[in-house]
Amino acid sequence: MQSHPDPAALGTLLRHVLEQLEGDVAAYYRERGLPEYRPRFSPVVRVLLAEGPQSVRDLAAKVGVTHSAASQTAIQMARAGLVAHTADPDDSRRRLISLTPKARRLVPQITAEWEATTAAIAELDKELSMPLAHLLIEVSEAIGRRPLRDRVAAAFDDEDAGQSSSTTSAS
């Protein structure tokens, strides 16, 4: 029987699920002869294929991650020989990220994996009460409307107010 993190430790539980999903896809890549390829590379490859070379800032916005995450991913991809960093001909202060010939040769294999992963997630979704992506989007939108820090502060204030009133009434 597999152990699960404490459901009250939401961050730990989210990381656990992400590690399971990414770990299984990374294992699939290793088994298919792509040991240096990581699941987090796929959104970057897709953007670069569709739109050509991108700055880290633009890539981050299009992939939907932070600038730091996009930069770290690009560095990992460069180490794997999948992207190159070049000067932007329009702005020498900016660097552009582009796919290397190695990455372009791997596109058919990577595309087949994307399709297999999409099918596998669709199968997983049938076992869930709602599609995983829909739930994650719903969570993200709810946090966008009211950040968790605001919710925590309100809960803390409510708890603090409750303790103050019980202390006052006990006097």
Side-chain angles (χ1 to χ4, degrees):
M1 182 165 183
Q2 183 176 354
S3 65
H4 300 283
D6 177 357
L10 189 57
T12 301
L13 185 57
L14 287 169
R15 279 186 293 280
H16 177 72
V17 170
L18 182 60
E19 288 168 2
Q20 287 180 302
L21 294 172
E22 285 191 336
D24 284 345
V25 175
Y28 178 82
Y29 280 125
R30 281 191 304 277
E31 293 164 5
R32 300 296 183 273
L34 294 172
E36 74 279 356
Y37 196 84
R38 301 285 174 266
R40 71 185 301 179
F41 296 173
S42 292
V44 173
V45 171
R46 293 176 82 127
V47 168
L48 295 176
L49 276 174
E51 302 192 27
Q54 300 287 309
S55 69
V56 172
R57 181 178 49 83
D58 292 342
L59 191 57
K62 291 174 182 174
V63 170
V65 298
T66 64
H67 183 279
S68 176
S71 179
Q72 290 172 14
T73 299
I75 290 168
Q76 291 173 353
M77 292 179 75
R79 285 186 191 132
L82 300 172
V83 297
H85 293 80
T86 57
D88 184 337
D90 299 327
D91 183 348
S92 61
R93 296 168 297 175
R94 286 187 351 156
R95 309 269 298 154
L96 296 178
I97 300 164
S98 60
L99 293 175
T100 62
K102 176 183 177 179
R104 291 189 180 283
R105 283 191 305 275
L106 294 174
V107 166
Q109 191 173 357
I110 294 168
T111 300
E113 185 284 326
W114 293 336
E115 292 168 359
T117 298
T118 299
I121 293 298
E123 179 188 331
L124 175 64
D125 283 345
K126 291 177 184 174
E127 297 178 37
L128 305 176
S129 60
M130 70 184 305
L132 182 58
H134 293 174
L135 176 60
L136 294 173
I137 290 167
E138 193 174 319
V139 169
S140 181
E141 289 173 349
I143 292 170
R145 287 188 301 273
R146 185 170 179 220
L148 189 58
R149 70 178 170 274
D150 294 350
R151 297 166 191 263
V152 170
F156 184 81
D157 290 345
D158 289 348
E159 187 176 297
D160 195 38
Q163 288 178 356
S164 294
S165 66
S166 64
T167 306
T168 306
S169 62
S171 302

